[in-house]
């Protein structure tokens, strides 16, 4: 019985906790403001402006891209962008945008990471123009 006495005391103590009141772990009212993180949406791109940029930035000197009439082999074949995006498990436009702005984020197998970081050179609008050009259908 001596051994049970401390155990019984703990049992009675625990039985009295709560008192039948429901306790909610979340706030019912927020006072002040809640911080949110926002990302700026990319501006819409213009494929015609992207075509001009593709030529002026020398993209065709490294990449094959049939719409531009280029067939260089230094960088990946841009006619296969959908295939590369799928392999990287990314939506096509997001993959192309990241590949231009941060080319070392994903390097296609068999190629060296030699593409310049155009995220430091081109504006967000210019990158959107290139993305629109490289991803246009037909």
């Amino acid at each position: 019985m001596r051994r049970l006495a401390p155990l019984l005391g703990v049992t009675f103590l625990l039985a009295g906790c709560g008192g039948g009141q429901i306790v909610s772990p979340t706030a019912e009212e927020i006072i002040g403001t809640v911080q949110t993180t926002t990302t700026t949406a990319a501006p819409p791109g213009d494929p015609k402006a992207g075509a001009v940029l593709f030529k002026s930035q020398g993209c065709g000197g490294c990449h094959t891209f049939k719409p531009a009439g280029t067939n260089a082999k230094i960088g990946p074949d841009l006619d296969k962008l959908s295939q590369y995006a799928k392999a990287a498990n990314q939506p096509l436009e997001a993959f192309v945008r990241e590949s231009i702005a941060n080319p070392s984020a994903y390097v296609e197998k068999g190629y060296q990471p030699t593409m310049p970081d155009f995220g430091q050179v081109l504006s967000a609008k210019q990158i959107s123009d290139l993305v629109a050009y490289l991803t246009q259908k037909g």
Side-chain angles (χ1 to χ4, degrees), residues 6-54:
L7 198 54
L8 289 174
V10 171
T11 304
F12 289 124
L13 181 63
L14 291 176
C17 290
Q21 182 181 8
I22 297 174
V23 179
S24 175
T26 57
E28 293 179 14
E29 181 181 351
I30 297 174
I31 300 172
T33 59
V34 177
Q35 265 186 308
T36 59
T37 304
T38 58
T39 56
T40 305
D46 174 8
K48 289 180 183 177
V52 171
L53 273 168
F54 187 89

Side-chain angles (χ1 to χ4, degrees), residues 54-111:
F54 187 89
K55 290 177 184 156
S56 70
Q57 294 298 316
C59 304
C62 294
H63 298 281
T64 293
F65 191 54
K66 288 178 187 172
T70 62
N71 61 359
K73 305 289 185 209
I74 295 169
D77 182 343
L78 300 183
D79 294 315
K80 298 179 181 178
L81 284 171
S82 293
Q83 178 183 327
Y84 302 148
K86 187 175 182 179
N89 199 27
Q90 293 184 20
L92 177 60
E93 289 184 10
F95 173 79
V96 173
R97 181 175 306 283
E98 183 175 40
S99 294
I100 294 167
N102 183 14
S104 62
Y106 179 87
V107 178
E108 183 60 32
K109 188 175 182 176
Y111 294 94

Side-chain angles (χ1 to χ4, degrees), residues 42-50 97 124-133:
D46 174 8
K48 289 180 183 177
R97 181 175 306 283
K125 172 68 171 130
Q126 290 173 313
I127 291 174
S128 290
D129 293 342
L130 275 171
V131 170
Y133 177 57

